[in-house]
Amino acid sequence: MTAVVKQDQVAEHNATQQAGLDADYAALGGMLGRRGVDIEQLTAVAQTFAVALPSWGVGTGGTRFARFAGKGEPRNVVEKMEDCGVIHQLTRATPTVSLHFPWDRTDDPKALREQAASYGLGFDAVNSNTFQDQPGQQHTYKYGSLTAQSAEARAQAVAHNIECIELGKALGSKALTVWVGDGANFPGQHNLRGALERYLDSMRDIYGALPADWQVFIEHKLFEPAFYATTIADWGTSFACAQQLGEKAKCLVDLGHHAPNTNIEMIVARLAQFGKLGGFHFNDSKYGDDDLDSGSINPFQLFLVFNELADAAQRDAALQPAYMLDQSHNVTDPIESLMNSAAEVQRAFVQAALVDRAALRRYQEANDVLQSAQTLKQAYRTDVSPILAMARLRSGGAIDPVAVYRASGYREQAAVRRPAKAGASSSGIV
Ligand code: LRH
Ligand code: MN
């Protein structure tokens, strides 16, 4: 595997951190042991964790107001892969990348696949994009794409999704994520049922193009860019469409796509119960679709989502939702944010594995409300940082990825190697 950061720099760093980690790990091991929990078993669980990186997340993001370009930004998909390579080298928790077309357009998917493999990377779900018009595009998506009144625009959007499947097949991906911003800004702008009927017609054509071992993920979102009615606005609509389409259609939960205070963990439990939980876009938010770093605003919610996943996995061992990050890094170094976010999602995963489910069931069946709630809180309050660091170390990564990354001077070197393209927004998201 190609080491993007010199591996001896990682080893040197780990050597300076080892003794401290061993002490913290032993202390945590002792405490967990008194709870009847084997820390070694939990660390092995932590090492199985994997979350996909959003290719569009390694460039600096922005808002409709402005984007403040960062230093050494990736200017194309090859440089995005390099940045993803650093993140995986140091965290050992991000072995796949989710690509977005046409932002990650490539004429040589075979070469891209080989480059990614040299960094130990593969490809998770690919994302289509019919929420922007591309230069030279024949039919605008201004009034929708898969739901457009224009049959030409719908056919164009369907063709683009099928092209994404073909590219994904060449890259070894096994799923297509379809998020459309289609909707209306004013009551009366379109017929609400008509729009959904056109959506389903278009999705049936896309569904028909899926290889036998592929899935399509329907991603719902409450609003933006439509501000009155979004065609796929909530999990209910997404679920109904996935049922209509067939077994290869599942629902994707982006944590930022709900009304404030929505009980997202309950949506996860429902979708798992009905066999339609396809995957996640992890991020965090305080108000809207803020795409902030995972676990940065509401880490307890992230824990509760993984608690429902752990409960569902106990019932259905075959449940394998796709874990992906989907964030926009407007004021931090995207590589640092993605490394940190991968660790925060891994933290929730490990904390959920710490929940004493037998005790929880006993308290629930006894209507011992307080002890039921405390059983979850005990796991959430447990600082599993030594387990996450030991998992990274044992998987060949860095005990402290951000410290190694900063010491490596990778960003400064990238700034020299990648002179910014004047005016070009290289990350694709503004
Ligand atoms: C829409 C969304 C979707 C992506 C885009 C980058 O808000 O979450 O998943 O296509 O962000
Ligand atoms: Mn998303």
Side-chain angles (χ1 to χ4, degrees):
M1 194 177 83
T2 311
V4 187
V5 167
K6 294 193 188 60
Q7 198 53 32
D8 57 13
Q9 265 187 312
V10 180
E12 267 163 46
H13 158 82
N14 287 343
T16 65
Q17 305 292 310
Q18 181 87 49
L21 173 58
D22 290 346
D24 295 347
Y25 190 78
L28 178 59
M31 183 183 74
L32 292 178
R34 288 190 294 280
R35 280 193 219 165
V37 175
D38 170 9
I39 192 171
E40 287 302 327
Q41 190 258 333
L42 213 51
T43 302
V45 167
Q47 287 180 269
T48 67
F49 176 81
V51 64
L53 294 168
S55 63
W56 60 94
V58 286
T60 302
T63 71
R64 59 185 167 171
F65 300 106
R67 187 183 83 87
F68 302 94
K71 282 192 309 187
E73 292 205 74
R75 301 162 299 176
N76 52 53
V77 68
V78 171
E79 292 177 352
K80 290 177 183 178
M81 280 311 109
E82 193 186 356
D83 290 2
C84 292
V86 174
I87 296 166
H88 186 49
Q89 180 190 356
L90 301 180
T91 65
R92 310 308 292 161
T94 58
T96 56
V97 178
S98 183
L99 294 181
H100 218 299
F101 299 120
W103 294 337
D104 299 320
R105 180 185 21 254
T106 174
D107 310 328
D108 189 348
K110 185 170 173 303
L112 181 61
R113 191 172 181 171
E114 284 159 8
Q115 183 214 359
S118 74
Y119 299 134
L121 297 171
F123 294 101
D124 204 312
V126 294
N127 297 266
S128 60
N129 175 345
T130 60
F131 50 86
Q132 294 173 323
D133 286 349
Q134 302 306 322
Q137 186 176 300
Q138 254 198 316
H139 306 286
T140 180
Y141 293 137
K142 179 173 182 178
Y143 301 109
S145 61
L146 299 179
T147 73
Q149 300 280 1
S150 149
E152 292 78 16
R154 295 199 304 274
Q156 178 184 270
V158 168
H160 165 66
N161 277 276
I162 294 174
E163 188 202 344
C164 292
I165 293 171
E166 292 313 311
L167 265 171
K169 280 158 64 177
L171 291 162
S173 174
K174 292 292 183 196
L176 168 70
T177 297
V178 180
W179 170 71
V180 292
D182 293 26
N185 275 3
F186 303 98
Q189 177 180 338
H190 69 204
N191 179 280
L192 297 173
R193 176 164 173 169
L196 189 59
E197 284 170 348
R198 291 190 295 276
Y199 173 85
L200 279 169
D201 288 347
S202 300
M203 285 296 284
R204 286 191 188 96
D205 295 343
I206 295 169
Y207 189 92
L210 290 172
D213 61 350
W214 269 55
Q215 296 186 94
V216 61
F217 298 148
I218 298 173
E219 182 177 3
H220 61 272
K221 180 174 179 179
L222 184 62
F223 76 101
E224 186 203 45
F227 294 104
Y228 164 66
T230 292
T231 305
I232 310 298
D234 54 36
W235 79 276
T237 309
S238 173
F239 176 72
C241 291
Q243 282 209 310
Q244 290 281 318
L245 290 167
E247 65 180 30
K248 288 188 275 187
K250 299 275 180 68
C251 305
L252 183 142
V253 179
D254 183 312
L255 271 59
H257 287 188
H258 305 85
N261 306 324
T262 296
N263 188 327
I264 297 174
E265 59 270 21
M266 188 161 72
I267 294 173
V268 171
R270 298 285 180 267
L271 289 171
Q273 178 175 356
F274 301 130
K276 282 297 183 183
L277 181 61
F280 291 88
H281 278 177
F282 293 114
N283 49 57
D284 214 333
S285 51
K286 186 143 184 74
Y287 304 103
D289 187 20
D290 311 341
D291 282 338
L292 299 173
D293 294 11
S294 298
S296 62
I297 303 290
N298 190 349
F300 190 49
Q301 173 181 264
L302 187 58
F303 162 75
L304 292 173
V305 165
F306 274 90
N307 176 55
E308 290 307 327
L309 288 167
D311 179 79
Q314 270 199 333
R315 301 159 186 272
D316 169 6
L319 180 72
Q320 289 285 339
Y323 296 162
M324 299 175 274
L325 297 172
D326 176 5
Q327 299 175 181
S328 178
H329 310 107
N330 306 353
V331 292
T332 59
D333 181 315
I335 289 177
E336 295 185 356
S337 274
L338 287 165
M339 293 195 294
N340 209 50
S341 300
E344 287 312 302
V345 179
Q346 188 179 28
R347 179 185 304 281
F349 172 75
V350 173
Q351 288 171 324
L354 248 182
V355 173
D356 182 340
R357 293 199 182 277
L360 180 62
R361 189 169 308 109
R362 280 196 307 278
Y363 290 131
Q364 289 169 339
E365 288 164 358
N367 293 319
D368 186 337
V369 175
L370 186 107
Q371 289 301 50
S372 303
Q374 284 311 307
T375 304
L376 287 190
K377 270 301 193 65
Q378 182 190 52
Y380 175 68
R381 275 195 304 264
T382 305
D383 179 359
V384 296
S385 303
I387 289 173
L388 303 180
M390 189 62 82
R392 286 191 292 270
L393 178 66
R394 291 179 180 173
S395 302
I399 290 173
D400 182 342
V402 171
V404 172
Y405 170 73
R406 290 187 175 189
S408 75
Y410 177 86
R411 179 60 68 190
E412 290 69 25
Q413 290 150 25
V416 174
R417 284 185 289 115
R418 303 168 178 175
K421 273 195 288 192
S425 155
S426 50
S427 73
I429 282 195
V430 292

